[in-house]
């Protein structure tokens, strides 16, 4: 079939924590594993893992917090799997080398996140994600897991409804690459980069959603995008970098340009504000003219002990200081930034998608969080469902053979032809920078934190026009080619998000419609499921599982 075809039992797309945990799990079962990726995704930004390990905590309390944050439309089976398996995952990480912070008694040094009724964030300083990546990669190497980087996977190979592999290209050479696998795990992250202000790294751009959709898999809850309320808007070097909202629980303040504290983190009953409400409050201050000169609000932590800011939050303090902002002396200018995709590929408790042979884990997955989530649950999710997807993908691979080479060769040749046609489009009337500018304006004007039906409809039409202009975009080198493919994935993800946002005629969690500002439990205790059938987008309004 040619030297550019790799064969493996389990192919994992994405090498963040979800992908690496899947690789370790699949390797332990005895499968051969290849992990492909471009970078480490959003995993280095994971500050902590939610785990009910405190003396006054329990899996049941974590379960109730998750449903409450999710506004009751979570898949309860997935939530149950999360809350009942995260402690064993924390134990696993410590066993393979992660040293989590503990107090002088030997108990976990727990922090409390917004949306949580108990302190349950376990962490290693502010470096939890980075150190977890390190220990998981070392563990994966013990199982002879192969790592292919930098590789961008663009399409899944589907044969009569079964996923048999994937194709992409090497980002350094531009060489087309194809993979045949008995099972494929999608762990490619979310799609927050579709928004103009985002905390997402360059290697996370909705490819998991786009590829799954084009292959015919079901996606769920795509209207729900969580925005981190507090991300730098100035100086330029820090734009998109976050300041943790946990410091608000410790006494930090949010103030508008007039110096007024405009939002309460705790209400009269002591309940903590959720991130969605905080994001809307900040957006409202800015929209009504009470924002800072750089389009944000002031986040002041100067009243906190300097050690707490400098040491406990060093990962935020040090970059800010380097950029000229000393958080112990002056306030930061912040505004909401896209932080976490809550929707994604629909799975069951084993990580199986609606397509045989395809599994998913981490932020690529939808249904677990519902309409919002507590802080720290994204970290828990990548561990628990990474482990399960890898395990069941490997066990399934034991019972299967690779697709016949003749049939696979035909499917790969078709994808290679598509790739070459895209690569040869070196003359065009539009530059990618111009196309991206148009795209981000659509998202900012019509699909941001506060939306309405008229604006969403405008966005759908404009995104379609932009999609049809792709053949006119100039591609002169490998860097532009990879950027164009990123843009195509972002555009498809945005179209799916817009379609779901239009259907949900209410406000729930992080989804806010100014034309339907109320939550409607009698009408909308449902999930919106989107699937490509033929060349058309099919939308189903489904009852919440186990509601």
């Amino acid at each position: 079939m040619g030297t550019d075809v790799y064969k493996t039992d389990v192919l994992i797309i994405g090498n963040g924590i979800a992908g690496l945990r899947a690789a370790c799990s699949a390797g332990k079962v005895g499968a051969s594993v290849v992990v492909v990726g471009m970078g480490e995704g959003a995993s280095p930004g994971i500050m902590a893992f939610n785990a009910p390990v405190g003396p006054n905590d329990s899996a049941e309390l974590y379960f109730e917090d998750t449903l409450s944050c999710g506004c009751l439309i979570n898949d309860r089976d997935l939530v149950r799997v999360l809350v009942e398996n995260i402690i064993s995952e924390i134990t696993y990480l410590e066993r393979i080398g992660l040293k989590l912070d503990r107090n002088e008694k030997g108990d976990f040094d727990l922090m409390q996140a917004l949306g949580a009724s108990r302190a349950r964030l376990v962490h290693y300083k502010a470096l939890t994600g980075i150190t977890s990546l390190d220990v998981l990669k070392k563990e994966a190497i013990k199982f002879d897991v192969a790592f292919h980087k930098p590789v961008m996977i663009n399409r899944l190979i589907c044969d009569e409804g079964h996923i048999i592999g994937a194709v992409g290209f090497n980002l350094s050479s531009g060489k087309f690459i194809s993979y045949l696998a008995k099972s494929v795990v999608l762990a490619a992250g979310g799609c927050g980069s579709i928004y103009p202000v985002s905390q997402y790294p360059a290697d996370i751009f909705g490819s998991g959603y786009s590829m799954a959709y084009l292959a015919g898999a079901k996606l769920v809850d795509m209207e729900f995008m969580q925005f981190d309320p507090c991300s730098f808007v100035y100086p330029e070097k820090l734009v998109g970098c976050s300041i943790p909202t946990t410091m608000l629980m410790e006494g930090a303040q949010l103030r508008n340009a007039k110096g007024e504290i405009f939002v309460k983190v705790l209400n009269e009953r002591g309940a903590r504000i959720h991130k969605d409400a905080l994001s809307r409050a900040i957006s409202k201050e800015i929209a009504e003219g009470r924002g800072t000169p750089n389009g944000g609000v002031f986040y002041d932590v100067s009243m906190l002990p300097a050690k707490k800011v400098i040491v406990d939050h060093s990962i935020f303090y040090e970059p800010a200081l380097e950029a000229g902002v000393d958080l112990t002396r002056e306030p930061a200018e912040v505004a909401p930034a896209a932080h976490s995709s809550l929707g994604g590929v629909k799975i069951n408790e084993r990580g199986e998608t609606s397509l045989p042979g395809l599994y998913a884990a981490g932020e690529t997955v939808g249904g677990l969080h519902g309409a919002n989530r507590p802080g720290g649950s994204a970290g828990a999710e990548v561990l628990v469902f990474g482990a399960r997807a890898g395990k069941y993908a490997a066990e399934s691979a034991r019972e299967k053979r690779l697709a016949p080479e003749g049939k696979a060769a035909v499917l790969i040749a078709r994808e290679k032809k598509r790739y070459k046609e895209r690569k040869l489009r070196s003359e065009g009337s539009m530059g990618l920078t111009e196309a991206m500018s148009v795209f981000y304006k659509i998202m900012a004007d019509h699909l941001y934190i506060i939306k309405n039906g008229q604006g969403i409809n405008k966005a759908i039409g404009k995104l379609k026009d932009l999609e049809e202009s792709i053949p006119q975009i100039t591609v002169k080198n490998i860097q532009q080619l990879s950027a164009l493919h990123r843009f195509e994935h972002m555009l498809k993800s945005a179209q799916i998000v817009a379609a779901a946002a239009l259907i949900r005629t209410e406000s729930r969690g992080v989804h806010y419609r100014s034309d339907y500002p109320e939550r409607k439990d009698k009408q909308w205790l449902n999930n919106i499921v989107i699937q490509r059938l033929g060349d058309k987008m099919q939308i189903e309004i489904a009852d919440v599982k186990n509601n």
Side-chain angles (χ1 to χ4, degrees):
M1 290 179 64
T3 58
D4 59 351
V5 179
Y6 296 90
K7 300 176 183 178
T8 185
D9 292 335
V10 178
L11 173 68
I12 299 173
I13 302 171
N15 61 344
I17 292 176
L20 293 180
R21 186 64 188 93
C24 293
S25 189
K28 185 177 180 180
V29 172
S32 62
V33 181
V34 173
V35 177
V36 296
M38 294 166 283
E40 295 168 332
S43 292
I46 289 177
M47 296 296 103
F49 303 119
N50 252 342
V53 294
N56 62 344
D57 204 357
S58 67
E60 196 59 38
L61 282 172
Y62 187 12
F63 181 87
E64 294 301 326
D65 283 351
T66 303
L67 291 189
S68 175
C69 269
C71 303
L72 305 180
I73 63 167
N74 318 62
D75 182 324
R76 284 161 170 74
D77 286 344
L78 298 185
V79 178
R80 186 63 66 187
V81 167
L82 177 75
V83 303
E84 292 181 352
N85 288 275
I86 184 55
I87 293 178
S88 64
E89 286 299 311
I90 298 302
T91 301
Y92 169 79
L93 281 181
E94 289 200 299
R95 180 170 61 78
I96 66 174
L98 181 64
K99 298 185 183 299
L100 293 165
D101 289 348
R102 294 176 181 265
N103 60 28
E104 53 279 0
K105 294 181 180 180
D107 299 325
F108 286 111
D109 176 35
L110 299 175
M111 297 186 297
Q112 186 163 352
L114 292 179
S117 63
R118 299 289 188 275
R120 61 170 68 103
L121 292 172
V122 300
H123 61 98
Y124 169 65
K125 300 181 180 178
L127 304 170
T128 312
I130 294 170
T131 50
S132 297
L133 284 166
D134 182 55
V135 297
L136 284 168
K137 186 163 187 179
K138 289 176 180 176
E139 187 71 8
I141 289 171
K142 294 179 183 178
F143 295 111
D144 296 322
V145 171
F147 292 89
H148 292 191
K149 289 178 68 173
V151 171
M152 179 188 287
I153 297 296
N154 275 327
R155 291 268 184 161
L156 299 172
I157 306 174
C158 189
D159 178 31
E160 297 180 355
H162 289 68
I163 299 301
I164 62 170
V167 299
F169 66 100
N170 184 292
L171 285 168
S172 297
S173 66
K175 181 182 177 182
F176 180 83
I177 300 175
S178 55
Y179 296 87
L180 290 182
K182 299 174 184 176
S183 299
V184 175
V185 178
L186 272 178
C191 70
S193 56
I194 66 177
Y195 298 94
V197 182
S198 165
Q199 296 177 351
Y200 279 62
D203 58 315
I204 301 294
F205 43 84
S207 60
Y209 304 150
S210 173
M211 289 189 290
Y213 172 79
L214 291 173
K218 292 182 178 181
L219 286 82
V220 64
D221 294 341
M222 288 295 290
E223 66 272 33
F224 298 110
M225 169 62 66
Q226 186 183 64
F227 284 77
D228 192 314
C230 303
S231 294
F232 283 95
V233 293
Y234 177 84
E236 183 65 31
K237 186 177 181 180
L238 295 175
V239 172
C241 297
S242 69
I243 300 181
T245 52
T246 51
M247 284 196 280
L248 293 172
M249 303 301 303
E250 297 162 352
Q253 298 174 350
L254 286 173
R255 292 183 279 106
N256 61 26
K258 296 180 179 181
E260 301 165 334
I261 297 174
F262 60 88
V263 64
K264 292 182 179 180
V265 179
L266 299 177
N267 67 16
E268 292 75 11
R269 300 187 306 278
R272 292 156 179 83
I273 191 171
H274 289 176
K275 286 186 175 182
D276 60 307
L278 193 54
S279 291
R280 287 196 296 275
I282 294 171
S283 296
K284 185 172 181 287
E285 289 299 301
I286 298 168
E288 294 180 358
R290 296 183 292 276
T292 64
N294 295 291
V297 297
F298 290 118
Y299 190 162
D300 189 356
V301 304
S302 63
M303 70 290 296
L304 301 182
K307 178 181 177 294
K308 178 170 285 293
V309 179
I310 296 171
V311 177
D312 293 353
H313 298 286
S314 60
I315 196 170
F316 307 102
Y317 174 77
E318 291 174 4
L321 186 65
E322 186 179 332
V325 180
D326 185 346
L327 295 174
T328 65
R329 297 175 180 272
E330 59 187 308
E333 291 185 62
V334 302
H339 173 67
S340 182
S341 305
L342 304 182
V345 181
K346 187 174 174 59
I347 63 166
N348 62 16
E349 304 94 293
R350 297 161 58 95
E352 296 168 323
T353 73
S354 58
L355 295 179
L358 183 64
Y359 297 74
E363 198 176 351
T364 304
V365 166
L368 169 65
H369 301 300
N372 201 358
R373 67 168 179 80
S377 283
E381 173 188 21
V382 294
L383 291 172
V384 170
F385 289 97
R388 294 177 78 81
K391 175 180 184 290
Y392 291 115
E395 290 181 354
S396 174
R398 282 176 173 172
E399 311 299 323
K400 293 159 56 176
R401 295 182 179 180
L402 291 171
E405 289 197 2
K407 179 176 284 190
V410 172
L411 296 172
I412 290 171
R414 184 178 66 191
E415 295 300 332
K416 190 170 186 177
K417 181 175 182 291
R418 189 202 311 270
Y419 173 71
K420 286 184 174 180
E421 287 174 348
R422 173 67 78 246
K423 188 175 181 180
L424 289 173
R425 289 173 181 167
S426 58
E427 298 295 332
S429 60
M430 180 186 295
L432 186 59
T433 300
E434 178 188 352
M436 287 297 300
S437 178
V438 172
F439 174 74
Y440 280 138
K441 181 168 175 49
I442 294 169
M443 300 304 295
D445 289 349
H446 306 303
L447 288 172
Y448 223 46
I449 295 171
I450 300 174
K451 300 173 283 291
N452 62 65
Q454 183 180 13
I456 298 169
N457 270 313
K458 285 182 180 178
I460 290 171
K462 291 179 179 180
L463 290 172
K464 181 65 176 175
D465 292 343
L466 198 53
E467 183 180 48
E468 292 173 355
S469 73
I470 285 176
Q472 305 304 317
I473 295 176
T474 304
V475 180
K476 293 183 177 179
N477 52 47
I478 184 63
Q479 289 76 25
Q480 290 183 356
L481 176 65
S482 63
L484 178 61
H485 283 292
R486 283 183 174 91
F487 179 55
E488 288 185 278
H489 288 302
M490 292 167 66
L491 189 54
K492 184 55 66 180
S493 294
Q495 289 175 313
I496 300 169
V497 167
L502 183 64
I503 293 295
R504 185 171 290 278
T505 52
E506 66 155 355
S507 292
R508 181 178 297 269
V510 298
H511 172 72
Y512 187 81
R513 292 269 304 254
S514 59
D515 49 348
Y516 295 99
E518 303 299 324
R519 173 171 152 177
K520 301 176 181 178
D521 281 355
K522 289 185 178 180
Q523 179 183 353
W524 276 111
L525 280 178
N526 304 99
N527 302 110
I528 295 172
V529 180
I530 292 180
Q531 183 180 23
R532 181 181 186 235
L533 294 175
D535 290 328
K536 294 184 178 180
M537 180 184 291
Q538 300 294 319
I539 300 177
E540 174 192 0
I541 299 174
D543 291 339
V544 173
K545 189 177 181 182
N546 299 322
N547 182 37

